[in-house]
Amino acid sequence: MTVLISWTRPKNLKCAWMILSCLIFSLVSNLSHAQASFDEEDIKAAFLYNFADFISWPYDGSGSVNRSSLNYCVLSEATVQRSLRSLLTQEENATLQRNYVFVSDRTELEDCDLVFLGEGDSSYFDELAALAASEVLTVGDHSEFLAEGGMIQLSREQDRIQVIINLDLVNQSGFQVSSQLLRLVNIYELNAQ
Amino acid sequence: MKEQQSVNAKQTLHRLLLFNFVATTMVVISQNAFAQDVPADLLDLSIEELFEANIREENPTGSGISPLQGNKWRFAIQYQRSEFEGYFDGSDKLSLDEVSFIPGTEARTADNFPVVPAMICQNVKAFTVAYELNDRVSLQMVVPHVEQSTDHFSSVPGYERFVIDSKGIGDVTLLGTYRLSGESEDGWLLGLGVSLPTGSIDEEGDTPRAPGNQQLPYSMQLGSGTFDIPLNIAYSRNMGSYSWGAELSGRFRLGENDRNYSLGDRASVSSWLRLNSIDWLRPSLRLRYEYSGDISGIDDELLVPGPFAFPAPVTNPTMYGGSQATVSLGFAVPVHGATQLNLEFGKPFYQSLNGPQVGEDYQFSASLNFSF
């Protein structure tokens, strides 16, 4: 019976080695993978945030309207919208006040400067023409967004987000896209679709 | 006996509900503790860098049935090691002395045994191939290869210390998953399938029961011998800097196998929390409560003649099953593209077993998922 009682093993040491091995293996396997990556919805939200710095609204610089705030409107609360809300509420002491506006009634769209339509908002596509006429920038990530009359589409290609702009429509609506942004985006050509 | 089973079932249900409550509370508290935020790094990127930013692949470590992310085929290789050591009767710990029977020093009872497993090691290598039919439905097949060994002490002359082992293909599982949320990564995922009795239940080895090879106990067999129904219901939610999820899963046996027994049904509930703020190493914490029933029926070949038919606890079908709660620490490591390494180490902090029964000491798993 003595042999039964004396039979032990260094349990804690074994656990410690196992945890340590996991950490070391994780660190080593990531040395060659230092490039930052983010969730898809966060990258899309960051693009929405940045558009205000690279696109001029029709009434900007006219003197009649001194734009100190910008209303980002959403019609549903999916992942991109939640990321956008989070991004806008993080902003402090910015020159331009970016507001997150949840629109529950179509009549409220008049107060928007930018409207984002997500994957589940295709029922609002019939508003796109009216929004363009009202100098509201329309951005979406639905695959048919541009074909339906939207201005800017955020599209996933492999592991990156591409920005596709219907430049004719954007210009017709009075928006000015900076050359810095134009160098990076893809231009939507209606005839090519 | 039936009253006792009813009381045990009620106690198990209460524990299940209590665990679920604690797990849900943990998730709710964590939701309040971590304010949802988009990685601040994104605001520091120039517009050029934003165009170069890579999309992080989602593959929650908390769920065993992770959905495919836009890729048609997915393969996974998983290695899992579990060690069982130390005896439990209910939630009471027993020493080897209390479980062992030494002739001439004590009386033989139904609760002490001349043959006592001291440590059980189980290594499972599982190969998974999955195919996505559409945005919502995927099919997968899991083929496990099981290797296990049990180290024994015994009062039988010539077998004072001996090891038995078995290895081979286990039960192959075919599983269909359905994602209720469609293309969205968040939401509900349902899994339903069938486990085929491909694992052997006729494994033999040299034990003190008789000279030569004999049928090994239930714990050393490679499969259940029955068609089983695995069922999973999982929910996951990505909150930006962290993700959380919960899963309810079960495995239900259909009938008895050729050796006239059926392993106990299993059910578990778990919840997990994963931090996404460290891009190259996402740690996760998981709480899991699982219940398994004892074995119904009996394999007559495991019995010995005399007043005490069970020479070892592992030969007694009523000394299987019970409940346990486990806490696990995991790490998800993106390797390249959609390839991800998942590591998890789990340690039970509560066990209430139909004993005397060897309890689980720890479990470790490493899996590599890749898709194209």
Side-chain angles (χ1 to χ4, degrees):
Chain A
M1 200 61 240
T2 311
V3 68
L4 295 181
I5 298 164
S6 64
W7 191 81
T8 58
R9 65 192 176 87
K11 196 169 16 177
N12 293 335
L13 189 64
K14 202 171 180 179
C15 292
W17 270 112
M18 194 162 288
I19 293 171
L20 191 61
S21 302
C22 291
L23 286 170
I24 292 171
F25 187 69
S26 303
L27 286 167
V28 170
S29 68
N30 276 279
L31 286 177
S32 60
H33 188 70
Q35 191 173 10
S37 60
F38 304 91
D39 290 333
E40 181 175 341
E41 59 269 23
D42 290 344
I43 298 176
K44 288 177 177 175
F47 271 114
L48 288 166
Y49 181 96
N50 276 289
F51 284 154
D53 297 328
F54 296 93
I55 296 175
S56 300
W57 265 249
Y59 39 78
D60 284 347
S62 65
S64 59
V65 178
N66 182 18
R67 184 164 62 112
S68 58
S69 66
L70 196 73
N71 289 338
Y72 285 76
C73 297
V74 300
L75 297 131
S76 61
E77 288 251 317
T79 53
V80 179
Q81 290 88 330
R82 285 201 298 270
S83 293
L84 178 64
R85 182 180 59 189
S86 172
L87 202 59
L88 297 184
T89 52
Q90 281 182 38
E91 185 183 51
E92 288 179 2
N93 304 321
T95 314
L96 177 64
Q97 176 68 40
R98 294 168 167 89
N99 304 313
Y100 180 85
V101 181
F102 180 81
V103 174
S104 55
D105 188 314
R106 290 177 189 235
T107 58
E108 296 172 16
L109 290 170
E110 296 171 3
D111 298 326
C112 301
D113 297 297
L114 183 154
V115 170
F116 175 76
L117 297 179
E119 286 279 354
D121 298 327
S122 55
S123 60
Y124 292 92
F125 282 174
D126 56 357
E127 298 282 346
L128 286 172
L131 288 170
S134 304
E135 301 177 344
V136 177
L137 188 72
T138 55
V139 187
D141 61 357
H142 192 282
S143 56
E144 297 297 316
F145 186 70
L146 295 178
E148 293 290 339
M151 296 179 184
I152 301 177
Q153 183 175 314
L154 303 175
S155 175
R156 179 174 178 162
E157 292 294 331
Q158 301 293 333
D159 57 351
R160 290 184 182 161
I161 297 297
Q162 285 194 349
V163 177
I164 311 168
I165 295 185
N166 185 341
L167 195 57
D168 290 340
L169 180 59
V170 168
N171 289 337
Q172 284 167 20
S173 302
F175 294 92
Q176 294 288 322
V177 182
S178 76
S179 57
Q180 187 181 356
L181 181 59
L182 277 177
R183 280 197 298 272
L184 299 166
V185 303
N186 293 327
I187 304 298
Y188 176 73
E189 294 178 26
L190 189 60
N191 295 334
Q193 301 302 307
Chain B
M1 188 65 182
K2 282 198 180 295
E3 282 177 8
Q4 184 60 40
Q5 282 178 341
S6 173
V7 169
N8 288 342
K10 278 183 183 171
Q11 286 177 342
T12 301
L13 181 63
H14 289 158
R15 283 171 190 155
L16 206 68
L17 292 172
L18 178 65
F19 181 82
N20 202 13
F21 172 76
V22 171
T24 306
T25 304
M26 186 190 85
V27 166
V28 171
I29 289 172
S30 69
Q31 273 190 279
N32 292 324
F34 295 87
Q36 179 194 343
D37 63 334
V38 173
D41 292 351
L42 274 167
L43 293 180
D44 297 332
L45 298 182
S46 68
I47 191 70
E48 288 82 5
E49 288 169 332
L50 195 55
F51 274 87
E52 295 293 318
N54 286 327
I55 295 170
R56 178 161 50 203
E57 292 297 329
E58 273 299 306
N59 195 359
T61 58
S63 171
I65 46 169
S66 55
L68 303 176
Q69 304 291 330
N71 298 296
K72 286 290 182 188
W73 289 94
R74 177 169 68 86
F75 298 91
I77 302 170
Q78 184 182 35
Y79 168 76
Q80 183 174 314
R81 179 180 176 86
S82 305
E83 282 195 14
F84 300 79
E85 187 183 23
Y87 273 87
F88 286 83
D89 188 1
S91 55
D92 297 331
K93 285 189 175 178
L94 302 178
S95 67
L96 277 175
D97 258 348
E98 291 173 287
V99 184
S100 301
F101 165 66
I102 307 295
T105 63
E106 57 195 326
R108 175 79 158 94
T109 70
D111 293 325
N112 64 12
F113 302 88
V115 179
V116 181
M119 190 168 88
I120 301 172
C121 292
Q122 188 181 60
N123 296 294
V124 179
K125 283 164 269 185
F127 303 91
T128 301
V129 56
Y131 181 73
E132 185 182 72
L133 291 178
N134 55 47
D135 290 339
R136 292 175 184 272
V137 181
S138 69
L139 302 174
Q140 59 181 265
M141 180 173 71
V142 183
V143 181
H145 182 271
V146 182
E147 275 188 70
Q148 47 199 8
S149 66
T150 305
D151 194 354
H152 294 79
F153 291 107
S154 157
S155 56
V156 179
Y159 287 90
E160 287 81 4
R161 182 81 183 269
F162 68 99
V163 176
I164 54 174
D165 51 44
S166 59
K167 63 179 176 182
I169 298 294
D171 289 343
V172 172
T173 300
L174 305 174
L175 191 73
T177 62
Y178 181 79
R179 187 165 44 188
L180 289 177
S181 52
E183 291 183 355
S184 171
E185 294 162 358
D186 292 348
W188 293 94
L189 188 70
L190 308 179
L192 179 67
V194 61
S195 170
L196 310 175
T198 49
S200 165
I201 56 167
D202 301 314
E203 292 298 301
E204 294 186 340
D206 185 13
T207 74
R209 209 164 61 242
N213 284 346
Q214 308 91 43
Q215 174 74 8
L216 291 180
Y218 311 97
S219 55
M220 293 301 293
Q221 300 303 324
L222 303 173
S224 68
T226 53
F227 286 92
D228 305 328
I229 302 296
L231 173 70
N232 300 67
I233 303 170
Y235 180 82
S236 62
R237 184 98 184 260
N238 187 338
M239 307 298 288
S241 61
Y242 69 101
S243 303
W244 65 272
E247 184 173 357
L248 185 67
S249 64
R251 181 172 285 256
F252 306 99
R253 320 289 180 180
L254 302 179
E256 283 190 342
N257 59 26
D258 294 342
R259 290 191 164 273
N260 303 317
Y261 69 87
S262 170
L263 298 182
D265 293 336
R266 308 176 76 91
S268 70
V269 58
S270 64
S271 69
W272 54 271
L273 177 71
R274 189 191 62 214
L275 300 180
N276 300 326
S277 48
I278 306 172
D279 195 41
W280 50 271
L281 182 72
R282 284 183 280 172
S284 65
L285 190 68
R286 186 149 64 105
L287 284 175
R288 178 185 172 93
Y289 180 91
E290 54 192 323
Y291 164 82
S292 62
D294 59 5
I295 294 173
S296 62
I298 197 163
D299 183 350
D300 292 334
E301 281 195 43
L302 297 175
L303 306 180
V304 294
F308 299 102
F310 305 113
V314 286
T315 61
N316 186 339
T318 65
M319 291 178 180
Y320 282 82
S323 54
Q324 75 176 54
T326 306
V327 59
S328 302
L329 177 65
F331 298 97
V333 185
V335 179
H336 177 70
T339 305
Q340 182 166 284
L341 176 70
N342 296 312
L343 302 166
E344 192 170 70
F345 180 82
K347 181 88 178 166
F349 60 90
Y350 167 80
Q351 293 187 81
S352 177
L353 307 178
N354 302 325
Q357 186 185 149
V358 187
E360 188 173 70
D361 184 20
Y362 75 88
Q363 52 188 259
F364 168 77
S365 71
S367 66
L368 191 65
N369 299 286
F370 46 97
S371 53
F372 60 87

